[in-house]
């Protein structure tokens, strides 16, 4: 070990100990939440901040799934997530392709307008989206939630697709046209 390494090793050890302590403080609430789900109601209230339950109660999960209808909420979440991801990827990729590959009148204005929406707080867009969903009669439906999530400004994704499609060689596009592919 060099002299410089010997001098720095107590500082490195101190930094490691400090980070380990912070990591434990950071992860403790998550561990407590997970392990508290295995406690009985009485034990949950009376145990304070202790982590380990006296006896693991796996019935809590069965009761949450059946009695609290967690299964309905779970499948709603899966359906909404899949639908939103599919729609957002489709719309953003098509927009990015059109803007990144083709020159058209007003392209710069369009890019400036969607880039400017990145700086608009989301609070300003929630009310018009809610009003539109309400007028469409989709309030309190899964489609209302899906369209509300899709209706947000996904400008960053559009810009990523624009950069990707601009980076593709023109020859690839031309060979696809020779093979018979059209715009879509």
């Amino acid at each position: 070990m060099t002299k410089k390494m010997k001098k720095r090793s107590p500082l490195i050890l101190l930094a490691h100990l400090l980070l380990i302590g912070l990591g434990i403080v950071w992860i403790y609430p998550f561990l407590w939440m997970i392990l508290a789900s295995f406690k009985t109601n009485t034990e949950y209230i009376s145990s304070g901040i202790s982590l380990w339950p006296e006896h693991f109660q796996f019935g809590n999960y069965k009761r949450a799934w059946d009695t609290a209808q967690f299964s309905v909420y779970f499948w709603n979440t899966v359906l909404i997530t899949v639908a939103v991801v599919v729609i957002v990827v489709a719309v953003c990729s098509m927009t990015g392709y059109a803007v990144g590959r083709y020159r058209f009148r007003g392209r710069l204005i369009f890019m400036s307008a969607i880039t400017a929406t990145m700086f608009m707080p989301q609070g300003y867009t929630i009310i018009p989206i809610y009003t539109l969903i309400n007028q469409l009669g989709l309030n309190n439906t899964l489609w209302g939630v899906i369209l509300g999530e899709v209706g947000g400004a996904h400008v960053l994704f559009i810009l990523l697709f624009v950069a990707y499609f601009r980076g593709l060689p023109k020859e690839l596009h031309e060979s696809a046209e020779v093979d018979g592919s059209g715009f879509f």
Side-chain angles (χ1 to χ4, degrees):
M1 244 203 246
T2 65
K3 190 175 184 182
K4 191 175 182 180
M5 290 285 284
K6 286 182 182 178
K7 194 175 189 181
R8 289 181 67 195
S9 63
L11 290 175
I12 292 173
L13 179 66
L14 182 64
H16 278 86
L17 290 175
L18 179 68
L19 289 174
I20 288 170
L22 285 173
I24 291 170
V25 169
W26 189 269
I27 202 164
Y28 183 83
F30 179 73
L31 288 175
W32 183 87
M33 177 185 66
I34 297 296
L35 292 171
S37 69
F38 293 106
K39 295 179 181 180
T40 63
N41 289 342
T42 309
E43 187 180 359
Y44 173 77
I45 292 169
S46 65
S47 67
I49 61 170
S50 72
L51 274 178
W52 296 101
E54 291 175 20
H55 303 288
F56 282 85
Q57 301 290 324
F58 294 100
N60 292 341
Y61 286 98
K62 183 181 180 335
R63 194 170 38 134
W65 193 264
D66 296 335
T67 308
Q69 297 179 346
F70 188 79
S71 60
V72 174
Y73 305 134
F74 175 77
W75 290 113
N76 284 349
T77 301
V78 169
L79 177 72
I80 289 168
T81 303
V82 168
V84 167
V85 167
V86 166
I87 293 170
V88 166
V89 167
V91 169
C92 291
S93 64
M94 288 189 290
T95 306
Y97 178 75
V99 173
R101 270 297 184 198
Y102 294 100
R103 303 279 180 224
F104 55 88
R105 190 176 258 190
R107 183 175 161 274
L108 186 62
I109 294 170
F110 176 76
M111 286 295 291
S112 300
I114 67 167
T115 304
T117 62
M118 286 180 70
F119 302 104
M120 186 182 301
Q122 248 187 343
Y124 291 125
T125 60
I126 290 174
I127 294 172
I129 290 172
Y130 173 77
T131 305
L132 180 63
I133 288 170
N134 203 18
Q135 288 174 351
L136 290 172
L138 297 174
N139 203 9
N140 295 326
T141 65
L142 288 178
W143 281 108
V145 175
I146 290 168
L147 292 177
E149 289 292 324
V150 170
H154 301 290
V155 178
L156 180 63
F157 306 135
I158 293 171
L159 294 176
L160 287 172
F161 276 113
V162 167
Y164 172 75
F165 287 121
R166 274 191 191 154
L168 289 177
K170 300 281 186 204
E171 293 81 16
L172 185 67
H173 184 78
E174 291 167 358
S175 79
E177 284 180 345
V178 167
D179 289 338
S181 74
F183 178 75
F184 289 105

